[in-house]
Every structure is written in structure tokens, then in C-alpha cells.
Amino acid sequence: MSARQINRASAWALYWALVRQDLQLRVLGSMLGMLWLVLQPLLYLSFTTVVFYYVLGVRFADGAVGSYVLFLLTGLVAWLGVNEGIGKAAPTLIDRANLIRNFPIPRVLVPLVPLIAALAYQGVCLLALILATAARGELGSQVLMLAPALLLEALLLAGIAWLVAAGTVLYRDIQYLLAFALMAWLYLTPIFYPAGQVPPPLDLVVVHTNPLAMLVIIFRGAILGTQVAFNVWGTLAFISLAMFALGLIAFRRVEHALGDLL
């Protein structure tokens, strides 16, 4: 094995060690351990259900709280992966500056550490959601659509993670603005309300060019059996691939300057 292959193997071994560490830190010291991976979204779901169903009076045609809970939870599962993957990626280069300087891990891999952990977290939530929906006899026959949807989500989040991580090194205020941007993205996405309720021309931004909205629509189609138009897949694929390429190119262009700033 050549020296280059050994270095590459060492880099990937270090990368997966960081991913395991990230997952362990999420539950380290907590009394309930891994149960928090399920309890956290369930607690958030309970709160948002009370606010939107009972306080604001959001209803479907059948008026059943169970239908709205499944609708809401499916959208929140998509959001949780996005929020975790992007929000925790911003400070990764700064937080791991000593590691980057002293160990042979490519900088381009570091922002992706929380992405893998976020997708694992999302996977636990998805499994719980699928089991709950199947128990009600409402699981859609298109559940296998989740596999390509998760792949497109990973490409999208990787591109954004590279942009926000590099941007945070150059401009530290980005990580604080990002929290507001993610919150705005949450409420501008049809998670708590149906996409059909968004009036034109606002629907152009909220639904038709919003990759998170498309991801939510696909998740609901896969789990709840609602129809997903082909153009939703096409647009999400285009945005995800474009964001992945843009993030990687932008990161590579400023990578040489990051070492002096860390």
C-alpha cells in the first residue's frame, strides 16, 4: 500500500471517529441516553400540535387530530435533518481548528461530520414515524421513495454545510445569522400547513423553488401516500446537485485561506 493510500485511509478512519464522537456527545451524560433521539422530536411535535391544532385551529377536511399529527410529524422529520445538518456545520472548522492543524484530515470532510450524525438522527425519527403510520394502517405504498429523497437531501446539505462552514471562518457573524435564517426557513416551508394553502405569487418562493418544501412533499408522498408530481423530483434533484457543486467549488477556492484564519 502506498503512502498516499495510507494517508487516505487514516483520514477516513479519523473522519468516522469524529462522526462516532459527535453521536456520543449528543447523549453523553444524559439519563435517558439514546432515547433522547426519539423523545426530542416527539416533545417538539406535542408542543407544535397544541399550538397549531388547538390554539390556531389548523384543520383538515376530516378534522381528526391524528391525521394532522402524522402530517405535521412527516414535515418535521424532514426539517430536523436539515436543521441539524446545517446548524451544527457552521462552527465545525473553528471548533476543530487544533485537530485540522495537527492531524491529516482533509478540511473538506470536517463540515460533513454533523451531516452524517444529523442523517442518523433523522433515520431514527423516520423509523418511528413509519412504524406509527403502519400501526394506523395509513402507510403509503411508495415508502421506498425515501431512499432517493435522502440521497438528494444529503447532497443538498453537504453543499450548504461547506458554504456556511467556510463562511463562518471568514465572517464569524454568519453562525448567528444562520439561526435566524433557519427559523425563517422553517416557517416559510409548508410544514405546519398544506402547500396548497399558499397563495400565488408567494407559492413560487415558499413551494416551487424551496428545496425543503419539495423534500417535505416527497416525505409525505412516501409515508402518507399523497401524490408527488414529477417536476418536484426534477427540481429538487437540480437544486441539490447544483448546491453540492457550488458548495464544493466555493470551499475549494477559499480552502487555502482557511488555514491562516483558523
Side-chain angles (χ1 to χ4, degrees), residues 33-49:
M34 293 296 290
L35 279 177
W36 279 117
L37 293 179
V38 177
L39 288 176
Q40 183 178 353
L42 288 180
L43 290 172
Y44 186 70
L45 168 68
S46 301
F47 173 76
T48 50
T49 299

Side-chain angles (χ1 to χ4, degrees), residues 11-12 31 44 65 79 87 90 140 163 168 178 186 192 194 211 255 262:
W12 280 106
M31 295 178 61
Y44 186 70
V65 65
W79 159 252
L163 289 174
T168 300
L178 184 62
L186 168 65
F192 307 107
E255 188 175 9
L262 289 173

Side-chain angles (χ1 to χ4, degrees), residues 14 51 55 81 88 107-108 119 129 151 157 164-165 167 232 240 250 259:
L14 179 57
V51 171
V55 178
K88 294 185 181 297
R107 293 188 182 96
V108 73
L119 291 177
L129 176 59
L151 175 60
L157 297 185
V164 298
V232 172
S240 297

Side-chain angles (χ1 to χ4, degrees), residues 29-256:
S30 67
M31 295 178 61
L32 297 178
M34 293 296 290
L35 279 177
W36 279 117
L37 293 179
V38 177
L39 288 176
Q40 183 178 353
L42 288 180
L43 290 172
Y44 186 70
L45 168 68
S46 301
F47 173 76
T48 50
T49 299
V50 169
V51 171
F52 284 88
Y53 187 85
Y54 292 105
V55 178
L56 299 180
V58 177
R59 294 287 189 277
F60 288 157
D62 60 5
V65 65
S67 299
Y68 181 68
V69 167
L70 288 177
F71 170 88
L72 177 60
L73 184 54
T74 309
L76 284 176
V77 166
W79 159 252
L80 287 172
V82 171
N83 185 54
E84 289 281 310
I86 298 175
K88 294 185 181 297
T92 49
L93 292 172
I94 298 172
D95 293 344
R96 302 187 186 275
N98 288 331
L99 182 143
I100 292 171
R101 286 193 293 263
N102 296 300
F103 292 92
I105 182 171
R107 293 188 182 96
V108 73
L109 292 180
V110 176
L112 302 186
V113 170
L115 172 58
I116 302 297
L119 291 177
Y121 176 50
Q122 187 181 49
V124 173
C125 299
L126 269 176
L127 179 59
L129 176 59
I130 289 171
L131 293 175
T133 309
R136 286 175 54 91
E138 299 180 14
L139 185 63
S141 59
Q142 307 173 50
V143 68
L144 292 179
M145 290 196 311
L146 287 173
L150 289 171
L151 175 60
L152 292 177
E153 179 186 11
L155 293 174
L156 173 71
L157 297 185
I160 299 175
W162 283 321
L163 289 174
V164 298
T168 300
V169 175
L170 298 173
Y171 307 100
R172 303 300 169 97
D173 290 338
I174 285 181
Q175 62 180 320
Y176 305 111
L177 294 174
L178 184 62
F180 172 78
L182 286 171
M183 185 60 64
W185 199 7
L186 168 65
Y187 288 106
L188 287 174
T189 299
I191 292 175
F192 307 107
Y193 48 87
Q197 290 186 357
V198 182
L202 188 60
D203 61 342
L204 181 65
V205 175
V206 173
V207 180
H208 301 303
T209 58
N210 180 355
L212 178 56
M214 297 170 201
L215 193 64
V216 168
I217 291 170
I218 292 173
F219 273 35
R220 286 176 175 152
I223 296 174
L224 303 179
T226 55
Q227 292 296 317
V228 180
F230 180 76
N231 68 297
V232 172
W233 281 102
T235 306
L236 179 61
F238 174 80
I239 294 176
S240 297
L241 291 170
M243 186 58 68
F244 180 87
L246 175 64
L248 182 57
I249 292 171
F251 190 92
R252 290 298 193 190
R253 290 204 170 189
V254 301
E255 188 175 9
H256 67 281

